[in-house]
Amino acid sequence: MDSTLVLQNLLSPPVLFFGLGLLSVMLRSDLEIPSPLPKLFSLYLLLAIGLKGGLELQHSGLDRLVLLTIGAALAMALLVPITSFLLLRTRFDTYNAAALAAAYGSISAVTFITAETFLGSLAVPFDGFMVAALALMESPAIIIGLLLVRLTAPRGDNPELNWGSLLHEAFLNSSVLVLVGSLLIGVLSAAYSPAGMAKMSPFTDQLFYGALSFFLLDMGIVAGQRLRELRATGGFLIAFALLSPPVHAAVGLLVSLLLHLPQGDALLFMVLCASASYIAVPAAMRMTVPQANPSLYITSSLGLTFPFNIVVGIPLYMAAVQRLIPAA
Amino acid sequence: MDSTLVLQNLLSPPVLFFGLGLLSVMLRSDLEIPSPLPKLFSLYLLLAIGLKGGLELQHSGLDRLVLLTIGAALAMALLVPITSFLLLRTRFDTYNAAALAAAYGSISAVTFITAETFLGSLAVPFDGFMVAALALMESPAIIIGLLLVRLTAPRGDNPELNWGSLLHEAFLNSSVLVLVGSLLIGVLSAAYSPAGMAKMSPFTDQLFYGALSFFLLDMGIVAGQRLRELRATGGFLIAFALLSPPVHAAVGLLVSLLLHLPQGDALLFMVLCASASYIAVPAAMRMTVPQANPSLYITSSLGLTFPFNIVVGIPLYMAAVQRLIPAA
Amino acid sequence: MDSTLVLQNLLSPPVLFFGLGLLSVMLRSDLEIPSPLPKLFSLYLLLAIGLKGGLELQHSGLDRLVLLTIGAALAMALLVPITSFLLLRTRFDTYNAAALAAAYGSISAVTFITAETFLGSLAVPFDGFMVAALALMESPAIIIGLLLVRLTAPRGDNPELNWGSLLHEAFLNSSVLVLVGSLLIGVLSAAYSPAGMAKMSPFTDQLFYGALSFFLLDMGIVAGQRLRELRATGGFLIAFALLSPPVHAAVGLLVSLLLHLPQGDALLFMVLCASASYIAVPAAMRMTVPQANPSLYITSSLGLTFPFNIVVGIPLYMAAVQRLIPAA
Amino acid sequence: MNRLDLIVSERELERLCAALTNAGAPGYTVLRHVTGRGHGGTVSEGMEFSGVGANAHVIVFCEAAALGAIRDAVKPLLAYYGGVGFVSDAQLL
Amino acid sequence: MNRLDLIVSERELERLCAALTNAGAPGYTVLRHVTGRGHGGTVSEGMEFSGVGANAHVIVFCEAAALGAIRDAVKPLLAYYGGVGFVSDAQLL
Amino acid sequence: MNRLDLIVSERELERLCAALTNAGAPGYTVLRHVTGRGHGGTVSEGMEFSGVGANAHVIVFCEAAALGAIRDAVKPLLAYYGGVGFVSDAQLL
Ligand SMILES: Nc1ncnc2c1ncn2[C@@H]1O[C@H](COP(=O)(O)O)[C@@H](O)[C@H]1O
Ligand SMILES: Nc1ncnc2c1ncn2[C@@H]1O[C@H](COP(=O)(O)O)[C@@H](O)[C@H]1O
Ligand SMILES: Nc1ncnc2c1ncn2[C@@H]1O[C@H](COP(=O)(O)O)[C@@H](O)[C@H]1O
Ligand code: NA
Ligand code: NA
Ligand code: NA
């Protein structure tokens, strides 16, 4: 069963385009998706997923399961960075350990989207409120990361940082704003302007799969460029980048079982735990912990953890889900 | 009735995304739609609206009402800038008064498009020839603006300007060219290549609403940035930017009544009168009247008049239309 | 019959937008499709055509006709540059003759795509494997071009060139990689992920016509800018650029008759022979034969041969096909 | 040799390049989509979609002898439309 | 007069421009989407989609008298976040 | 210190950066999508979609002692492929 899921995932257009991007870097082709086209696709994906999640959230409402799931997501967004920090601190200085911990405590929206698409191709349903969990898990790790630096770094090293700019960076960075904004717009429009939401559908639904494939072509290129810098990363971090996702996913599965989440939501919850941020967190760390080396946290999250999850992780987690959670 | 219309407009995806853009500037988020993506969307919208207008124009033909409406549109494109100039000249020098007058005499295609979308969501029909009126109202104000400078400015201040480059600027600037070109292509293709027009439809029709929403997100950001410069604008201009639209719309409504325009066309006619240009006119004024201060005419048209029309004006004008013109 | 085909082609949206682009340059409008938007559309078109070709190739399989056609395509990719070189060498030095020969021996994907669209509007079918022929004809001419320089240029003029970088340039340049990659992804996904291919369809099929029209607007601008440099080109090259396409198309028609290709495939084969590269080959020549003058090979292929084929060539070749090959 | 740095609005770029060519500049390099702050306030990329454009930075390397003609061609444009120009020393590599 | 060339990450651009304005710089010109190599390794456009951004190149022309204040405002930023700064001579055109 | 300004076609950029690194340049800054006019005619952004590309402007700040090696590495590339290079004086901020 596992190998069928892996193959089905591996031979779907989005993952194949991701592979084409990786390949083009290995073959040193001059293929590039010039800036700012990747930004167009990443904004589009956030906007579309937010709108769709909002639409479904408006239909399902906020019941007990929703609140429990979101609470569990927030708990994971505290647990993962703290345990990761303790582990990473054995090998890295406090700045790099904290920045890496923040990346792994946060999430990767594209991994989440790819998992949604994978569920779609298996015709396994999932709930719109998972997008709310995604949105809420992005920010806390940024704050935890900086708190860890504050609590463990030698005094006098951190000029001019204040809570205002930190909270601003955590909750008002562009990817959080677009995701949360679109989610709320989805909720409001679904309630008051259903005709408007229907007219959005060709843009946000029908194009989604193609746009994701195109964007993953670029992500393959970027991940491939990062892989070239692997030497600088070191064996310990490589192992962490490849082993922590299944471990975090397993914890996520445990939580899903406790919460009695259905199959689709359980997979998405696992993917939230297993994925690492290469968008909001690096952008925030570059600013708030400039002492950390970006090539460590970007290379591990984008060059290793992301491809692992996209190619192997998602079908692997799904196999576990299918074994332990009965289909609806 | 008014409040329902206002609410329905306010809670539609395009207007909510406009609000999200405004909000992101107020919250000082780093959200940006990087250049040249806004250009992509603005070119797309002009092209799509031109094609659709051309298709409908080809079906309806040029009857007496069409010619009368277009004539009235041209008359408004002379009347509005001249009366605005006389009013503005009481507070501004001749250069700034003329540039502002030109902006308010011309039109905003995005406001027009938003009004069309609003009509669509109310299921109120409108005619394709209104796009021709839109296209024809863009240029005259540019010429009037420069004529006003010529007639009222002290001699010897205007080197090297000639009629050739002025007409060129007025009639061949890129937004007029794309709009008029697409309109003609729509007319020709609808007549000789109906299969071709049908194959354009997923691109120009189905994506339209989503692309408009995305573009309005950017317009919200740009308008928000302009609003920050409001201090430099002064109370008189703020009042002008917010009061002239309903006044011009009222004149437009009067003309619509005289011409017996149906509801949809009447709203679009009012919007043409009420809106101000922040595309073709500023680009032309920057070149032909460099003595005027761009932050005056861009801030008032883009930071005040545009949001006013999008958020409040369109449903307000529609309420008046519904009161005075019977539904078809 | 010919004139109907010409008119039907001329008045279709893609060709009219191409004309609008040309016109905007002639009228010296400031219309531009800013970089990197044209790259977005050209990547999209290659990706979409590759996927669609792969899907059909997977359905039809590789039979004898397919292999024969592909073999014939490769033979033309050798024949055309060698004969062109012999002719061009009478007027140009060895570098320029070789670079021009390489351009005319290779293909123009956009011309091919426009021909496919033309067949679509006539409801004439064609086979997916023609995309494989397109992909395979792009590279050989690059190698032939450099071999011609090597064999005929004075010794000692070519430092540091090696076969590795030449083959790399020929087979791994971005346009070949995207086209071949998408073709293979199409084949694989059609076999193993048919649901995935179906979800790609709104992106790759429905948007195709509109995206092609938008891109041809830009191509009209670029071709128009090239036409301005025509004086530097000289009468001989102008004649070559306009006369070689029908000659090469005639040879292509002969081969199609020998292979018993159906109407649609025959037109596409002729277009492959008749078109000249302004993407992969100029990019390669700029690097491998810097002694050649880019404005010669780009102006003739993009400013003359491309518009000729788009506007006149395709319907002309189709008229010949209809005369000599019975409809299926 | 001299190096000239000219920063003008993109709207005047075509005019400036024509003036440079007519004044005998041996070449020039143009960087578009440039932003900044000057006497005319802040220029951002926000209005680029509208055709108003941002700034362009034009660099010219020329012999000292050519400087006079170029200055005479450029200064009126800067004075009328706005923009700034600076000169420094440079040599061929 | 002097010409300053400052190259920093786009993430610090807003902060740098504010510092320049506060230090009395008469104006500045910004080129974004700049790449390069320095002590901090190679910077490419690859991560721009993520908000990490590439570099920005900021040019300031100012009187020699203003240089001191600008240097004092800029140096701490370069020291804390990375980036480089160079000065050369220039004159008004 | 010295400042180098190199303007080449984007096609040769990778080669040029490798040459700079090998010749011991302490860093460099790259501005892409640059247009201009030189002996090879006008270069615009029009052909960028095709992979032919526009120009790139590469700036290097280096000690005078490093200049010789960099010049030796760069000049053959400029001579073979086209492009220009200029040097001027600069100091660390
Ligand atoms: N002192 C300066 N240093 C660097 N760039 C400047 C300076 N002054 C003006 N600029 C640039 O020149 C543009 C036009 O200047 P201005 O006409 O003074 O508004 C500004 O937007 C800046 O990009
Ligand atoms: N010697 C140099 N010459 C030109 N640009 C440099 C030099 N050193 C650094 N840079 C630029 O400054 C950026 C930041 O430098 P750094 O903080 O040293 O990594 C680099 O990415 C380069 O773009
Ligand atoms: N005198 C010059 N001043 C500034 N830029 C130049 C000059 N000459 C050439 N360039 C730039 O260098 C590029 C290549 O020059 P060339 O190889 O002479 O065609 C041109 O496209 C310009 O961008
Ligand atoms: Na995580
Ligand atoms: Na108006
Ligand atoms: Na050919």
Side-chain angles (χ1 to χ4, degrees):
Chain A
M1 178 149 253
D2 300 18
S3 76
T4 324
L5 282 176
V6 170
L7 207 73
Q8 186 164 348
N9 183 55
L10 209 64
L11 296 174
S12 68
V15 177
L16 286 171
F17 276 108
F18 182 73
L20 182 60
L22 277 177
L23 193 76
S24 87
V25 177
M26 285 174 201
L27 297 175
R28 300 196 165 261
S29 167
D30 62 338
L31 176 59
E32 73 171 336
I33 316 285
S35 175
L37 301 179
K39 184 88 183 182
L40 171 66
F41 287 100
S42 81
L43 281 172
Y44 164 80
L45 291 175
L46 289 175
L47 188 151
I49 200 181
L51 276 181
K52 284 191 283 185
L55 176 73
E56 288 162 38
L57 201 57
Q58 151 67 17
H59 291 157
S60 68
L62 284 177
D63 62 10
R64 209 173 137 266
L65 181 62
V66 175
L67 296 177
L68 274 178
T69 309
I70 286 177
L74 287 176
M76 290 301 292
L78 301 185
L79 183 71
V80 170
I82 292 174
T83 53
S84 299
F85 178 76
L86 294 176
L87 180 60
L88 290 160
R89 189 67 188 77
T90 62
R91 294 299 183 99
F92 295 100
D93 65 23
T94 197
Y95 301 112
N96 281 306
L100 281 162
Y104 281 82
S106 185
I107 50 79
S108 150
V110 183
T111 311
F112 181 88
I113 287 169
T114 310
E116 277 197 0
T117 308
F118 179 71
L119 288 172
S121 72
L122 295 179
V124 172
F126 52 89
D127 284 302
F129 63 74
M130 292 307 295
V131 175
L134 166 77
L136 290 173
M137 279 182 82
E138 199 154 11
S139 311
I142 294 174
I143 296 169
I144 303 288
L146 203 77
L147 277 183
L148 289 168
V149 168
R150 281 299 172 103
L151 295 174
T152 61
R155 306 254 139 205
D157 276 19
N158 300 309
E160 72 160 305
L161 261 179
N162 58 47
W163 276 96
S165 77
L166 171 63
L167 293 173
H168 190 276
E169 193 66 40
F171 291 106
L172 295 174
N173 70 67
S174 64
S175 76
V176 170
L177 194 77
V178 170
L179 189 58
V180 173
S182 306
L183 194 72
L184 293 178
I185 291 176
V187 170
L188 284 172
S189 297
Y192 297 99
S193 177
M197 282 305 276
K199 281 194 283 180
M200 290 296 287
S201 160
F203 187 73
T204 51
D205 289 347
Q206 297 182 23
L207 289 190
F208 196 79
Y209 198 78
L212 175 62
S213 301
F214 207 117
F215 185 56
L216 283 177
L217 174 60
D218 182 62
M219 293 298 294
I221 296 172
V222 185
Q225 288 166 343
R226 283 289 146 182
L227 272 180
R228 284 196 187 160
E229 295 183 26
L230 214 57
R231 260 164 302 143
T233 313
F236 183 79
L237 189 51
I238 296 178
F240 179 83
L242 297 176
L243 295 178
S244 76
V247 171
H248 294 151
V251 180
L253 180 54
L254 212 75
V255 175
S256 303
L257 289 169
L258 291 174
L259 293 173
H260 299 292
L261 289 183
Q263 283 194 346
D265 296 357
L267 178 73
L268 295 180
F269 194 83
M270 292 170 75
V271 162
L272 289 179
C273 300
S275 67
S277 170
Y278 46 77
I279 296 199
V281 175
M285 291 299 127
R286 180 81 186 71
M287 192 97 157
T288 52
V289 192
Q291 301 90 341
N293 177 359
S295 102
L296 288 184
Y297 51 86
I298 297 178
T299 300
S300 62
S301 67
L302 183 55
L304 293 168
T305 302
F306 177 70
F308 173 82
N309 278 325
I310 293 288
V311 177
V312 185
I314 291 173
L316 195 75
Y317 311 152
M318 191 64 203
V321 163
Q322 287 181 338
R323 208 157 290 219
L324 295 175
I325 300 179
Chain B
M1 175 147 256
D2 300 17
S3 78
T4 323
L5 282 176
V6 170
L7 208 72
Q8 186 163 350
N9 183 54
L10 210 61
L11 295 173
S12 68
V15 176
L16 286 171
F17 276 107
F18 182 73
L20 182 59
L22 277 177
L23 192 76
S24 86
V25 177
M26 285 172 200
L27 297 176
R28 297 197 167 262
S29 167
D30 63 337
L31 176 59
E32 73 171 335
I33 315 285
S35 176
L37 300 180
K39 185 87 185 185
L40 170 67
F41 287 99
S42 82
L43 280 173
Y44 164 80
L45 291 175
L46 289 175
L47 187 151
I49 202 182
L51 276 181
K52 284 192 283 186
L55 176 73
E56 288 162 39
L57 201 56
Q58 152 67 18
H59 292 157
S60 68
L62 284 176
D63 63 10
R64 208 173 137 269
L65 181 62
V66 176
L67 296 177
L68 273 178
T69 309
I70 286 177
L74 288 177
M76 290 301 292
L78 301 184
L79 183 71
V80 170
I82 292 174
T83 53
S84 298
F85 179 77
L86 294 176
L87 181 59
L88 290 160
R89 190 67 187 78
T90 62
R91 294 297 183 99
F92 295 100
D93 66 23
T94 197
Y95 301 111
N96 282 305
L100 281 161
Y104 282 82
S106 184
I107 50 79
S108 150
V110 183
T111 311
F112 181 88
I113 288 169
T114 310
E116 277 197 359
T117 308
F118 179 71
L119 289 172
S121 72
L122 296 179
V124 173
F126 51 88
D127 284 301
F129 64 73
M130 292 307 294
V131 176
L134 166 76
L136 289 173
M137 278 181 83
E138 199 155 11
S139 310
I142 294 175
I143 296 168
I144 303 288
L146 203 76
L147 277 183
L148 289 168
V149 168
R150 280 302 172 99
L151 295 174
T152 63
R155 307 255 139 206
D157 276 17
N158 300 309
E160 70 161 303
L161 262 178
N162 59 47
W163 275 97
S165 77
L166 172 64
L167 293 173
H168 190 276
E169 193 65 41
F171 290 106
L172 296 174
N173 70 69
S174 64
S175 75
V176 170
L177 194 77
V178 170
L179 190 58
V180 174
S182 306
L183 194 73
L184 293 179
I185 290 175
V187 170
L188 284 173
S189 297
Y192 298 99
S193 176
M197 280 306 275
K199 281 195 282 181
M200 289 296 287
S201 161
F203 187 73
T204 51
D205 289 348
Q206 297 183 23
L207 290 190
F208 195 79
Y209 198 78
L212 175 62
S213 300
F214 207 116
F215 185 57
L216 283 178
L217 175 59
D218 182 63
M219 294 298 293
I221 296 173
V222 185
Q225 288 166 342
R226 284 290 146 183
L227 272 180
R228 284 197 188 159
E229 297 183 25
L230 213 59
R231 259 165 302 145
T233 314
F236 183 79
L237 190 50
I238 296 178
F240 179 82
L242 297 176
L243 295 177
S244 75
V247 172
H248 293 151
V251 181
L253 180 54
L254 212 76
V255 175
S256 302
L257 289 168
L258 291 174
L259 293 174
H260 299 290
L261 289 183
Q263 283 193 348
D265 297 356
L267 178 73
L268 295 180
F269 194 83
M270 291 170 76
V271 163
L272 289 179
C273 299
S275 67
S277 170
Y278 46 77
I279 295 197
V281 174
M285 290 300 128
R286 180 79 186 72
M287 192 95 158
T288 52
V289 192
Q291 301 91 341
N293 177 359
S295 102
L296 288 183
Y297 50 86
I298 297 178
T299 300
S300 60
S301 66
L302 182 55
L304 293 167
T305 302
F306 176 69
F308 174 83
N309 279 324
I310 292 288
V311 176
V312 184
I314 291 174
L316 196 75
Y317 311 153
M318 191 64 203
V321 163
Q322 288 182 338
R323 208 157 289 220
L324 295 174
I325 300 179
Chain C
M1 174 148 257
D2 298 18
S3 77
T4 323
L5 282 176
V6 170
L7 207 72
Q8 185 163 348
N9 182 54
L10 210 61
L11 295 174
S12 68
V15 177
L16 285 172
F17 276 107
F18 182 74
L20 181 59
L22 277 177
L23 193 75
S24 86
V25 177
M26 285 173 201
L27 297 175
R28 300 197 164 260
S29 168
D30 62 339
L31 177 59
E32 73 171 334
I33 315 286
S35 176
L37 302 179
K39 185 87 185 185
L40 171 66
F41 287 100
S42 81
L43 280 172
Y44 165 80
L45 292 175
L46 289 174
L47 188 150
I49 201 182
L51 276 181
K52 284 192 283 185
L55 177 73
E56 287 162 40
L57 201 56
Q58 151 67 17
H59 291 158
S60 68
L62 284 176
D63 63 7
R64 206 171 139 267
L65 180 62
V66 175
L67 296 177
L68 274 178
T69 309
I70 286 177
L74 288 177
M76 290 300 292
L78 302 184
L79 183 71
V80 170
I82 293 174
T83 52
S84 298
F85 179 77
L86 294 176
L87 181 59
L88 290 159
R89 189 68 188 79
T90 61
R91 291 300 182 100
F92 295 100
D93 65 24
T94 196
Y95 301 112
N96 282 305
L100 280 162
Y104 282 82
S106 185
I107 50 77
S108 150
V110 182
T111 311
F112 181 88
I113 287 168
T114 310
E116 277 198 0
T117 307
F118 180 71
L119 288 172
S121 72
L122 296 179
V124 172
F126 52 88
D127 285 300
F129 64 73
M130 291 307 294
V131 176
L134 166 76
L136 291 172
M137 278 180 84
E138 199 155 11
S139 310
I142 294 175
I143 297 168
I144 303 288
L146 202 77
L147 277 184
L148 289 168
V149 168
R150 281 299 172 102
L151 295 173
T152 61
R155 307 255 139 204
D157 275 17
N158 300 309
E160 71 160 304
L161 260 177
N162 59 46
W163 276 97
S165 77
L166 172 63
L167 293 174
H168 190 276
E169 193 66 41
F171 290 105
L172 295 175
N173 69 68
S174 64
S175 75
V176 170
L177 194 77
V178 170
L179 190 58
V180 173
S182 306
L183 193 73
L184 293 178
I185 290 175
V187 170
L188 284 171
S189 297
Y192 298 98
S193 176
M197 282 305 277
K199 281 195 282 179
M200 290 296 287
S201 160
F203 186 74
T204 51
D205 289 348
Q206 295 182 25
L207 291 190
F208 195 79
Y209 198 79
L212 175 62
S213 300
F214 207 116
F215 186 57
L216 283 177
L217 174 59
D218 181 63
M219 293 298 294
I221 297 172
V222 184
Q225 288 166 342
R226 283 289 147 184
L227 272 180
R228 283 194 186 160
E229 295 182 26
L230 214 58
R231 260 163 301 141
T233 314
F236 182 78
L237 189 50
I238 296 178
F240 179 82
L242 297 176
L243 295 178
S244 75
V247 172
H248 294 151
V251 180
L253 181 54
L254 211 76
V255 175
S256 303
L257 288 169
L258 291 174
L259 293 174
H260 298 292
L261 289 182
Q263 283 194 348
D265 297 356
L267 178 73
L268 295 180
F269 194 85
M270 291 170 76
V271 162
L272 288 179
C273 299
S275 67
S277 169
Y278 47 76
I279 295 197
V281 173
M285 291 299 128
R286 180 80 186 70
M287 192 95 158
T288 51
V289 192
Q291 301 90 341
N293 178 359
S295 103
L296 289 183
Y297 52 85
I298 297 178
T299 301
S300 62
S301 66
L302 182 55
L304 294 168
T305 302
F306 176 69
F308 173 83
N309 278 324
I310 292 287
V311 177
V312 185
I314 291 173
L316 196 75
Y317 312 152
M318 190 66 203
V321 163
Q322 288 182 336
R323 207 158 291 219
L324 295 175
I325 300 179
Chain D
M1 292 191 78
N2 282 119
R3 170 203 173 104
L4 262 83
D5 286 281
L6 308 167
I7 302 152
V8 300
S9 165
E10 285 190 80
R11 295 288 297 170
E12 286 98 58
L13 180 57
E14 213 175 319
R15 216 167 281 216
L16 179 67
C17 291
L20 287 173
T21 302
N22 290 340
Y28 52 79
T29 291
V30 178
L31 305 109
R32 286 178 58 185
H33 317 297
V34 165
T35 57
R37 192 171 60 75
H39 313 101
T42 302
V43 173
S44 77
E45 281 187 294
M47 293 301 292
E48 271 201 332
F49 78 94
S50 72
V52 171
N55 288 334
H57 180 184
V58 179
I59 306 170
V60 184
F61 292 96
C62 64
E63 297 298 336
L67 192 61
I70 295 177
R71 181 191 284 121
D72 293 347
V74 165
K75 283 228 120 184
L77 287 174
L78 298 182
Y80 188 58
Y81 290 111
V84 294
F86 299 93
V87 204
S88 48
D89 289 329
Q91 293 112 49
L92 253 183
L93 178 69
Chain E
M1 291 190 79
N2 281 119
R3 171 202 173 105
L4 262 82
D5 286 281
L6 307 167
I7 302 151
V8 300
S9 165
E10 283 189 81
R11 294 288 297 171
E12 286 98 57
L13 180 57
E14 214 175 316
R15 216 166 281 219
L16 180 66
C17 291
L20 287 173
T21 301
N22 291 339
Y28 52 79
T29 291
V30 177
L31 305 109
R32 286 179 57 185
H33 316 297
V34 165
T35 57
R37 191 170 62 73
H39 313 100
T42 301
V43 172
S44 77
E45 281 187 295
M47 292 301 291
E48 271 201 331
F49 77 96
S50 73
V52 171
N55 289 333
H57 181 183
V58 179
I59 305 170
V60 184
F61 291 96
C62 64
E63 296 299 334
L67 192 60
I70 295 178
R71 181 191 285 121
D72 292 346
V74 164
K75 282 226 121 182
L77 287 174
L78 298 182
Y80 188 59
Y81 292 112
V84 294
F86 300 93
V87 204
S88 47
D89 290 328
Q91 294 112 49
L92 254 183
L93 179 69
Chain F
M1 291 191 78
N2 281 119
R3 171 203 173 103
L4 262 84
D5 286 280
L6 308 167
I7 301 152
V8 301
S9 166
E10 284 190 79
R11 295 287 297 170
E12 285 98 58
L13 179 58
E14 214 176 317
R15 215 166 282 218
L16 179 66
C17 291
L20 287 172
T21 301
N22 291 339
Y28 52 78
T29 291
V30 177
L31 305 110
R32 287 178 57 184
H33 316 298
V34 165
T35 56
R37 191 171 59 74
H39 314 100
T42 302
V43 172
S44 77
E45 282 188 292
M47 292 302 290
E48 270 200 332
F49 77 95
S50 73
V52 169
N55 288 333
H57 180 183
V58 179
I59 306 170
V60 185
F61 291 96
C62 64
E63 298 297 336
L67 192 61
I70 295 177
R71 181 191 284 121
D72 292 348
V74 164
K75 282 227 120 181
L77 287 173
L78 298 182
Y80 188 59
Y81 290 112
V84 295
F86 300 93
V87 204
S88 47
D89 289 329
Q91 293 112 50
L92 255 183
L93 179 67

